[in-house]
Amino acid sequence: MRTTEKLGYELLKDPFRNKGTAFTEEERRKYGLVGLLPPRIDDIESQSQRIYRQMTTSSHSRSAFTARWREKALQLRRDAF
């Protein structure tokens, strides 16, 4: 059985294989990601630290997101009944 590797956007849409900016230059060429990602290359640890800092310092963004999510959930519930 032959397996095919995902390339380009298909790879980036796969949450189990997408490493974001942690793809090396070689991997970016191999998987057709050149130009689809920011030029900066970070390791996974750096990415997680950056995201953690963003989440802990941006309470307004979380509140706005939560409010939008709650409104959408209520709308879906109203539409279901």
Side-chain angles (χ1 to χ4, degrees), residues 36-68:
L36 300 180
L37 295 169
R40 178 179 176 174
I41 297 176
D42 286 330
D43 59 22
I44 297 294
E45 183 64 28
S46 296
Q47 286 184 27
S48 63
Q49 289 173 359
R50 182 177 66 247
I51 292 168
Y52 179 78
R53 276 193 313 274
Q54 290 171 349
M55 292 302 295
T56 58
T57 60
S58 181
S59 63
H60 180 270
S61 295
R62 281 196 314 277
S63 297
F65 171 80
T66 303
R68 286 192 306 270

Side-chain angles (χ1 to χ4, degrees), residues 7-9 11-12 27-36:
L7 301 173
Y9 285 114
L11 176 58
L12 295 177
E27 289 171 326
R28 291 171 187 225
R29 284 191 299 275
K30 178 180 178 181
Y31 298 120
L33 300 172
V34 175
L36 300 180

